[in-house]
Amino acid sequence: METVPFSKNTLHVVIDMQRLFAEETEWHTPAIAAILPNVLKITRARPSDTVFARFVVPQNADAAKGAWRNYYRRWSSVTLDAIDPAMLDLVGPLAAIADERSVIDKQTYSIFGTEGFPGRLQAAGIDTLIFSGVETDVCVYASVLDAVDEGYRVILAADALGSSNAQAHDVVLRTLAPRLSEQIEILSTDAIVKLWQA
């Protein structure tokens, strides 16, 4: 199937490219170093059409809701009681590009769980979403499935995605996403930049 150029109502969504995952924490995702150049390439192609999601952790497990309390009891080392809040910042090269309006804080895996985000897309007339960032099999894929459910054209930037679990990353790109080939396109960074500039 031939890939058509992106509409003028396309948004690049960068998921969780933060110090929390880039540096030596229990959530360290080494793949960030490898994918950052491609995330930057897409971002620099259309910086005003890019938003940056940040995964925001609670102060401690007791401050979380429902089953998230058990989750953060397991991962207490990455709550704000244990880490510098600056660890939630975007990695340096992206922080230099982002502005206050382009950063979206989320407390759930999917960016669609953030109050106001779906309405923001609708108000802007967005019809296409490009996803990059980490982790492919967790926050990225959760966001992708919500985007599919909402009817967006969804693009995965294959070489601008990463995970701390390489096998799970591969399962998403080689097995799960291709099952929804009518709704999810998997493209390289170079192809995305070319189509977005067409």
Side-chain angles (χ1 to χ4, degrees):
M1 184 172 72
E2 183 180 350
T3 303
V4 299
F6 304 145
S7 82
K8 60 181 174 52
N9 299 319
T10 296
L11 185 70
H12 175 210
V13 182
V14 180
I15 302 288
D16 300 351
M17 291 289 286
Q18 298 163 252
R19 293 179 58 198
L20 179 61
F21 301 101
E23 298 181 19
E24 293 295 331
T25 70
E26 278 202 87
W27 283 355
H28 183 215
T29 304
I32 282 184
I35 68 171
L36 181 57
N38 287 331
V39 174
L40 280 166
K41 188 171 185 177
I42 300 170
T43 300
R44 287 173 175 153
R46 300 288 284 270
S48 63
D49 295 316
T50 298
V51 294
F52 305 88
R54 296 191 318 163
F55 192 75
V56 177
V57 297
Q59 191 67 39
N60 49 50
D62 290 338
K65 65 179 181 180
W68 285 101
R69 290 190 192 101
N70 288 335
Y71 181 80
Y72 283 111
R73 287 188 187 104
R74 162 65 180 89
W75 297 107
S76 61
S77 67
V78 295
T79 62
L80 293 176
D81 277 353
I83 63 168
D84 182 340
M87 293 298 286
L88 301 181
D89 292 346
L90 298 172
V91 295
L94 295 175
I97 297 171
D99 59 35
E100 186 177 310
R101 179 163 160 66
S102 66
V103 176
I104 299 168
D105 289 345
K106 63 186 181 68
Q107 297 176 329
T108 56
Y109 294 136
S110 172
I111 192 172
F112 282 85
T114 301
E115 185 177 354
F117 181 70
R120 176 176 175 172
L121 296 182
Q122 292 168 6
I126 299 298
D127 56 28
T128 302
L129 297 173
I130 301 166
F131 287 96
S132 67
V134 296
E135 292 194 62
T136 313
D137 50 312
V138 187
C139 291
V140 173
Y141 199 55
S143 299
V144 162
L145 289 180
D146 280 345
V148 166
D149 280 349
E150 292 298 321
Y152 291 98
R153 180 183 180 186
V154 174
I155 315 294
L156 292 181
D159 52 358
L161 294 168
S163 177
S164 59
N165 185 322
Q167 183 178 6
H169 165 85
D170 288 344
V171 166
V172 171
L173 291 184
R174 297 180 184 176
T175 305
L176 297 179
R179 289 191 68 195
L180 306 176
S181 59
E182 298 84 6
Q183 296 167 301
I184 301 175
E185 299 166 62
I186 303 171
L187 299 173
S188 69
T189 292
D190 287 345
I192 287 168
V193 171
K194 182 177 179 181
L195 286 165
W196 212 358
Q197 294 174 339

